[in-house]
Amino acid sequence: MTHIATAPSYDQLPLIDLSAADRGPQARALLHAQLHSAAHDVGFFQLVGHGVRKEETERLVAAMQAFFRLPEAERLALDNVNSPHFRGYTRTGDERTGGRQDWRDQLDIGAERPARVPGPGEPSYWWLQGPNQWPGGLPELREAALAWIDRLSGVAERLLRELLASIGADPGFYDSVFGEHAHPHLKLVRYPGSSGDGAGQGVGAHKDYGFLTLLLQDQVGGLQVQREDGLFHDVPPVEGAFVVNLGELLEVATDGYLVATNHRVVSPPGAVERFSVPFFYNPRLDARVEPLVFPYAAAAPGVTADPGNPLFAEYGFNELKGKLRAHPLVAERHHAELLSPA
């Protein structure tokens, strides 16, 4: 298949209709051309035709907003400082990106599994597996969040297979690193408006370190993506669409042919609230992500090495590195032995 390069439009990201995969060979070929271009040239796109019903989205959003309306004491009862697995509630300003405060609060949720404390000689990333923290008086939140993880895992699995096919690779090349022991991650996020010091960092510029991220954002806006001109451009919300971006694992696996792109969130003005739900499609913690075999590999530009952000062969070490940086209070309380000396 020929790669179709498109002139960049900074008014909006490419719009991809995943349902085209079911509409015959011509429609699927066009889908693959669009996916190829978006993943190679931009690293971000808007996804429609994903099959997630409006009622499913409304159920999750209602439960999320009910959580953030809880009294602060009830939210702080789930403080992630109490979890060695980095699960639970992070109050506004307690998370860091690039060493600076992110002005948002959130609930971090993963697959509901028993705690695994690393034994002698076992990798420290097993600390990331463990139970979630849930508000006792809001059972609908647990139900909606875990259903969302299952639902979007299915969407992301299908999308990844079509994406790999779009660049001529085996669609099932990475099936073995996911499965029932995959490590999905869900954040329920509220941006409460601008911080008291006037700083606009809702979340600082960063790349995600998994395979794919599917973001549900409300109509307030604030997400910005770094485009080919080096500037950060707004991503206007599209009703019913997920904003999709590629993580560093796909960039590394394709030697830079597919791109993980810097993005950030600018805090909404004044006291305006913004809600968003990023879902991270991640492999097993112990997965070793092999280089992808695909016909465009010779055209891959290579991955830019960042000494401050080394990437490890086993996925779990990458996520643990990110968690230790982003949640210093959790790291200091539970994992001081993993922190680098100052």
Side-chain angles (χ1 to χ4, degrees), residues 194-205:
S194 300
S195 63
D197 62 4
Q201 177 168 304
V203 61

Side-chain angles (χ1 to χ4, degrees), residues 25 40 49 85 88 115-116 129 142 193 223 228 256 282 290 300 320 329:
H40 175 59
H85 319 294
R116 178 168 176 182
Q129 177 175 303
R142 183 182 192 279
L223 174 65
E228 296 91 325
N282 301 324
E290 299 296 331
L320 180 61
L329 299 180

Side-chain angles (χ1 to χ4, degrees), residues 26-51:
Q26 277 191 312
R28 191 164 186 244
L30 179 58
L31 166 67
H32 286 175
Q34 293 170 331
L35 266 177
H36 188 158
S37 177
H40 175 59
D41 298 329
V42 187
F44 262 85
F45 51 90
Q46 299 264 22
L47 186 73
V48 296
H50 42 68

Side-chain angles (χ1 to χ4, degrees), residues 289-301:
V289 179
E290 299 296 331
L292 186 66
V293 178
F294 67 112
Y296 298 92

